Amino acid sequence: EPEVTQTPSHQVTQMGQEVILRCVPISNHLYFYWYRQILGQKVEFLVSFYNNEISEKSEIFDDQFSVERPDGSNFTLKIRSTKLEDSAMYFCASTIGQGAYSNQPQHFGDGTRLSIL
Amino acid sequence: ILNVEQSPQSLHVQEGDSTNFTCSFPSSNFYALHWYRWETAKSPEALFVMTLNGDEKKKGRISATLNTKEGYSYLYIKGSQPEDSATYLCAFRGGGADGLTFGKGTHLIIQP
């Protein structure tokens, strides 16, 4: 069964450094998402991406965050200047569509654990 | 801020017993309710996407019901097995929104 893949599985970065988290969504999917889970808290929505632009973003997704689909397969999340509070598990997800496909699930990757020192 | 709550937070069930747990969500501006099964160190696995009031969905021994008017969904597991041990997450999607708002999950432990 096709799956969403994320790399790396664990990233350790010094505070203030830039970090890029990578995702390969399922190949025929059109909508892509990033979520995060800070330890002990709920999974939180960050951003959705469709047709090469941001479709929706949450309050968490401020100017230090950006997303990109640099080629036909990868979807990346960049954090420009990391803070201690960015330490979390980051999940990428994809779905085939929205609207008429509202009954389709979002398929999640295994996540990248980001640790900021 | 959307409020999605799940109860109980954790649950110990004897193998072979049936169990259920609850997800409550806003009753206004409803679009869909998602259920996921999440094992440690794995990705959340989609179980159901429910969109209509009164929906009832089934996958093997797991089933779910939906009441959008009062804002709750139940997940049922019949004849629990050790492999059912996982965290079960529900997630609300409002009209016009792309992102899901998750509950904190119910951590289910099946005791042999």
Side-chain angles (χ1 to χ4, degrees), chain B residues 9-51:
Chain B
Q9 200 170 340
S10 67
L11 191 53
H12 290 244
V13 174
Q14 282 297 122
E15 183 178 352
D17 286 352
S18 297
T19 188
N20 66 84
F21 29 92
T22 310
C23 171
S24 64
F25 52 86
S27 54
S28 61
N29 198 32
F30 176 87
Y31 196 74
L33 195 279
H34 295 233
W35 279 101
Y36 287 89
R37 180 176 174 277
W38 190 12
E39 288 183 68
T40 306
K42 293 188 179 179
S43 57
E45 174 200 347
L47 290 173
F48 306 113
V49 180
M50 309 182 81
T51 55

Side-chain angles (χ1 to χ4, degrees), chain A residues 44-104:
Chain A
E44 300 172 292
F45 168 71
L46 295 177
V47 67
S48 62
F49 191 86
Y50 169 70
N51 200 26
N52 283 317
E53 60 183 28
I54 289 174
S55 176
E56 184 188 4
K57 60 183 180 179
S58 72
E59 288 175 357
I60 303 167
F61 194 88
D62 61 22
D63 291 345
Q64 69 159 345
F65 291 93
S66 61
V67 288
E68 195 179 29
R69 187 150 162 86
D71 52 43
S73 59
N74 289 284
F75 178 52
T76 61
L77 175 70
K78 184 195 290 186
I79 308 176
R80 213 174 327 275
S81 175
T82 49
K83 306 183 186 104
L84 293 175
E85 54 265 35
D86 294 328
S87 295
M89 182 74 95
Y90 287 80
F91 291 98
C92 174
S94 70
T95 192
I96 193 161
Q98 307 228 105
Y101 296 96
S102 63
N103 61 345
Q104 294 301 309

Side-chain angles (χ1 to χ4, degrees), chain A residues 31 33 35 37 40-45 48-49 55-56 89 91 98-100 102-110, chain B residues 2-5 31-32 34 36 38 41-44 46 49 51 57 89 93 96-104:
Chain A
Y31 280 82
Y33 310 83
Y35 291 83
Q37 187 189 34
Q41 297 187 22
K42 295 179 180 181
V43 174
E44 300 172 292
F45 168 71
S48 62
F49 191 86
S55 176
E56 184 188 4
M89 182 74 95
F91 291 98
Q98 307 228 105
S102 63
N103 61 345
Q104 294 301 309
Q106 294 180 16
H107 295 268
F108 283 75
D110 288 347
Chain B
L2 297 172
N3 205 22
V4 179
E5 298 295 336
Y31 196 74
H34 295 233
Y36 287 89
W38 190 12
K42 293 188 179 179
S43 57
V49 180
T51 55
K57 296 209 171 181
L89 297 172
R93 184 172 163 217
D98 292 348
L100 301 177
T101 302
F102 280 84
K104 214 167 178 187

